[in-house]
Amino acid sequence: LVRQTVRVEVNLQECCLKGRTELEIQQRSDQRQLHLHCRQCDITSCTVNGSYARFEVSDPLAKVVPDDEQMVRDVQNFALSFKSAIEASDAGELRILIDGNLQPMRAEDGEMGHGIWKVVVEYTVSRSQSGVVFAGIDLPGQPPPHCFTDGQWGASHMWFPTVDSLSESCPFELEMTVPSGTKVVCSLPQVSEGRVAKGKRQVTFRSSPGEDIPAKALGFAAGALISIFDPGA
C-alpha cells in the first residue's frame, strides 16, 4: 500500500456512513486480483485505474458457527471454528478482479516492474455492529447524536476498505463531511476545513509529511463535542 485517502460523509440521524476510498497499491508480480480487508461495508462500486472492476465479498467471520450446530457444542470446538474463520479472513474479505487488458500505471520512481494500481471503492455502512459506534438521541436531557471509532481489533476495516495490517503502513488522508455545527476530532493532524454545501462542512486530516501509519491508527469522533486544551501536550 503506497498511500490511501478516505472520504466519509457522516449521517448522525440515520446512523450511517457514506464513503469513498482511494488506494494506490504497488503491483506485485503479475497479479490480476487485489485483496482488501473489508467488513460490514456495503460495496457499491470498484474501479481500477479508472475502469470499473468486478468484485466479490466473502466474510468468514460473519458466521463462525456452522449450520450443523452439533459440531460446536463446547468452547474448545467454538475456538477452533473461530480460529479457522480468522485465518480464512487474513487475506481480505474484498476481492477485486483486474481486467486482463488493464496495465498498471508507472510508479513515481519510474522503475520498470514497479507499477501502481489506483483503486477506488465506494461503499456505505448502515448497520454498524463494531468499528464505528453511533450513540445519543436527539431528545431533551439526553446526549446528542454522535459517533466514534472504538479502536477494537480489526476496527478500521469495519468502516473503510483497506489493508488492515501492522506490517502495511503508508501516508493517510481522511476527509470528513458532517452537518454544520458538528465537531470532528481525529488521530491525524487537521489541515483544512470549510463549508461545502448548505448545512454541511468538510474537515480534512492528513498524516504528517514523511510519516507512514498503519490503518488501525486511524480513528475519529464526530458530534456535539467540546475541545479541552491539554496543557501537558
Side-chain angles (χ1 to χ4, degrees):
L1 189 60
V2 178
R3 63 176 54 87
Q4 182 169 2
T5 299
V6 182
R7 295 182 169 89
V8 175
E9 182 171 351
V10 179
N11 189 323
L12 294 173
Q13 299 300 325
E14 297 184 8
C15 301
C16 64
L17 304 176
K18 181 179 181 181
R20 171 189 171 98
T21 185
E22 303 167 6
L23 309 93
E24 293 186 15
I25 301 175
Q26 187 172 352
Q27 180 193 28
R28 294 178 178 174
S29 65
D30 295 327
Q31 67 186 125
R32 305 310 298 180
Q33 59 183 9
L34 301 170
H35 291 265
L36 298 176
H37 296 105
C38 175
R39 297 190 63 211
Q40 80 176 8
C41 298
D42 297 319
I43 308 300
T44 54
S45 71
C46 291
T47 64
V48 177
N49 291 0
S51 299
Y52 282 100
R54 293 184 295 122
F55 62 89
E56 300 173 355
V57 179
S58 176
D59 184 3
L61 285 168
K63 191 172 186 178
V64 176
V65 179
D67 292 330
D68 184 3
E69 296 185 4
Q70 297 297 322
M71 298 293 294
V72 184
R73 298 180 62 88
D74 53 55
V75 173
Q76 182 178 0
N77 280 322
F78 175 82
L80 291 173
S81 296
F82 185 53
K83 179 182 178 182
S84 177
I86 290 177
E87 292 174 346
S89 63
D90 277 348
E93 296 81 5
L94 173 60
R95 185 164 72 105
I96 302 173
L97 308 176
I98 303 174
D99 186 274
N101 297 321
L102 203 61
Q103 296 300 317
M105 297 181 175
R106 185 179 294 275
E108 291 182 359
D109 57 20
E111 295 183 16
M112 296 300 293
H114 290 78
I116 297 293
W117 298 116
K118 291 193 174 183
V119 180
V120 177
V121 182
E122 296 185 350
Y123 64 96
T124 59
V125 178
S126 56
R127 296 177 299 276
S128 178
Q129 297 180 348
S130 182
V132 58
V133 179
F134 288 88
I137 53 176
D138 197 9
L139 291 176
Q142 298 294 324
H146 60 283
C147 67
F148 57 92
T149 52
D150 59 20
Q152 297 188 43
W153 171 82
S156 294
H157 68 272
M158 301 290 280
W159 60 279
F160 68 96
T162 187
V163 181
D164 201 355
S165 170
L166 288 175
S167 62
E168 291 283 350
S169 298
C170 72
F172 268 89
E173 180 175 311
L174 175 62
E175 183 181 282
M176 300 198 63
T177 302
V178 295
S180 296
T182 301
K183 177 73 174 179
V184 183
V185 294
C186 178
S187 55
L188 302 179
Q190 181 176 328
V191 294
S192 67
E193 71 172 286
R195 180 179 174 181
V196 292
K198 184 177 180 180
K200 294 183 180 181
R201 57 189 286 265
Q202 190 176 85
V203 188
T204 302
F205 305 88
R206 187 179 301 136
S207 53
S208 301
E211 180 183 20
D212 293 346
I213 63 172
K216 75 178 283 87
L218 192 61
F220 74 89
L225 309 176
I226 299 175
S227 296
I228 301 177
F229 176 71
D230 182 1

